[in-house]
Amino acid sequence: MVEKYTAPTIDATGYHCPHCQVFAHQSWGALLHDIDGHYAQLGWYRVGRCARCKNMSVWYRGTLVVPAESLAPPPTDDMPDDVKNDYDEARSVLSKSPRSSSALLRLAVQKLCVDLGGTGKNLNEDIGTLVKNGLPVQVQQAFDVLRVIGNNQVHPGVLDVRDEPETASALFGLLNMIVEVMITRPKQVEALFNKLPAEAQQQIQKRDAGKP
């Protein structure tokens, strides 16, 4: 299962650290400035420290400024490289442009459909083909959320993620979930099946072929 990602939030006691990417406790304090040996507190700044990696994050007016990392979850390990490239680019621009981020994720989904056997010419049709081939309803809905929201950022529609940046952030989790269901789980099942004794595998093949 894809681990539930908890995005960093100022003054939160725990989240996935932007340094080590592990969920860990966070301690908080003020940022002080040294002026000729006298320390003054910078009121708009907050500093968090990860209990696991001991690295610090710096926030200004509620926005993470150090490290300059995206607040979106990293791509899951089994994400194809061509999809991952667009995913990482979408992560890098999320805080600056949720619209651009959502549009890039839509492109990533189209490439993923090609990796899953689609043509890449029409995303809606590719999703429809996957549905005909038994795509689970929740995965279909995730595909369509990414498709429709991504389209709306290029061709203005009802939902503009500039008004709902948290929606843009949630899209990353949907794409990771799709990869897990369509790629990771089948790979795990196949690996376990291949560990079965050869005789058992042959019996299963005969059964499925309708042979006694």
Side-chain angles (χ1 to χ4, degrees), residues 118-181:
T119 65
K121 296 179 180 179
N122 185 300
L123 178 56
N124 192 44
E125 292 179 0
D126 280 347
I127 295 172
T129 299
L130 290 172
V131 170
K132 291 178 182 178
N133 292 334
L135 188 71
V137 173
Q138 287 186 331
V139 180
Q140 169 260 308
Q141 291 175 343
F143 266 119
D144 281 320
V145 167
L146 287 156
R147 176 183 65 85
V148 173
I149 292 180
N151 284 345
N152 281 350
Q153 307 322 305
V154 180
H155 308 291
V158 176
L159 178 61
D160 189 334
V161 293
R162 288 176 296 187
D163 300 325
E164 298 185 34
E166 66 278 3
T167 297
S169 180
L171 297 180
F172 292 89
L174 289 183
L175 186 48
N176 273 338
M177 182 270 285
I178 293 172
V179 172
E180 183 201 12
V181 173

Side-chain angles (χ1 to χ4, degrees), residues 5-63:
Y5 179 77
T6 303
T9 307
I10 188 169
D11 286 329
T13 56
Y15 51 66
H16 279 79
C17 172
H19 290 282
C20 65
Q21 300 296 331
V22 173
F23 184 89
H25 177 76
Q26 306 292 322
S27 300
W28 292 91
L31 184 63
L32 303 180
H33 181 57
D34 181 4
I35 305 176
D36 296 330
H38 299 280
Y39 290 92
Q41 180 174 323
L42 301 180
W44 291 111
Y45 285 89
R46 293 285 288 164
V47 179
R49 185 171 185 266
C50 175
R52 182 181 184 276
C53 69
K54 310 306 181 185
N55 286 312
M56 295 186 179
S57 59
V58 180
W59 299 69
Y60 176 68
R61 293 179 179 265
T63 299

Side-chain angles (χ1 to χ4, degrees), residues 74-93:
T76 188
D77 291 340
D78 290 319
M79 187 175 291
D81 288 340
D82 56 338
V83 180
K84 188 179 297 184
N85 289 337
D86 290 328
Y87 185 100
D88 284 336
E89 185 176 353
R91 287 185 76 220
S92 70
V93 301

